[in-house]
Amino acid sequence: MNKQTREQVIDEVVVEIYEAYPEILERFGEAGKIRCLEDNHHHFDHLETAAKLDDPQVFTNYAVWLTNLLTQRGMSKHHVIDNFQRIHDVLGTKATPDSQAYQKLLQAGIDAVK
């Protein structure tokens, strides 16, 4: 996925998250929003790696690790699932060679976290 499309998807997903959960902004402030952007870049890094290796376990291991980390910091696994689902849905509106592969990996990650 090219950098511009990746940035568009991430920006759209973060806007959606903060519209759906305004309490996150209240709780974590602008620093939390910056962290959310960074987290979404990490999600895409792992999606890209898993897709290149054709190994869904790379992404599912990351999803489980991330969920454990974030729940220790007061977040819920539902936030991770919601974030992955939002990426999945936004990718569905993009016609890129990687979209379908990433969507399959995201679904595997969601299933692993559930």
Side-chain angles (χ1 to χ4, degrees), residues 31-93:
K33 194 177 243 184
I34 292 167
R35 186 70 182 138
C36 186
L37 286 164
E38 291 171 352
D39 287 347
N40 276 276
H41 279 281
H42 291 302
H43 303 341
F44 271 89
D45 291 344
H46 285 84
L47 286 168
E48 182 179 319
T49 300
K52 282 183 180 176
L53 295 173
D54 193 25
D55 185 357
Q57 195 70 40
V58 170
F59 190 74
T60 57
N61 286 347
Y62 165 73
V64 170
W65 170 83
L66 174 68
T67 302
N68 290 333
L69 178 72
L70 292 179
T71 55
Q72 291 173 2
R73 295 183 178 174
M75 300 292 286
S76 162
K77 75 177 185 176
H78 301 290
H79 289 115
V80 176
I81 293 168
D82 181 77
N83 193 160
F84 287 174
Q85 187 65 54
R86 289 178 191 279
I87 295 170
H88 179 281
D89 294 349
V90 172
L91 285 173
T93 69

Side-chain angles (χ1 to χ4, degrees), residues 1-12 41:
M1 177 171 296
N2 69 46
K3 186 177 179 178
Q4 182 181 2
T5 303
R6 177 177 163 153
E7 291 295 328
Q8 289 172 344
V9 172
I10 290 171
D11 289 346
E12 190 172 331
H41 279 281

Side-chain angles (χ1 to χ4, degrees), residues 92-105:
T93 69
K94 309 294 182 197
T96 72
D98 301 316
S99 293
Q100 288 184 343
Y102 287 9
Q103 285 179 301
K104 288 178 184 176
L105 291 166

Side-chain angles (χ1 to χ4, degrees), residues 6-29:
R6 177 177 163 153
E7 291 295 328
Q8 289 172 344
V9 172
I10 290 171
D11 289 346
E12 190 172 331
V13 166
V14 172
V15 166
E16 285 183 12
I17 289 169
Y18 276 83
E19 285 176 353
Y21 302 102
E23 67 274 10
I24 295 175
L25 183 59
E26 294 171 17
R27 183 172 177 192
F28 298 105

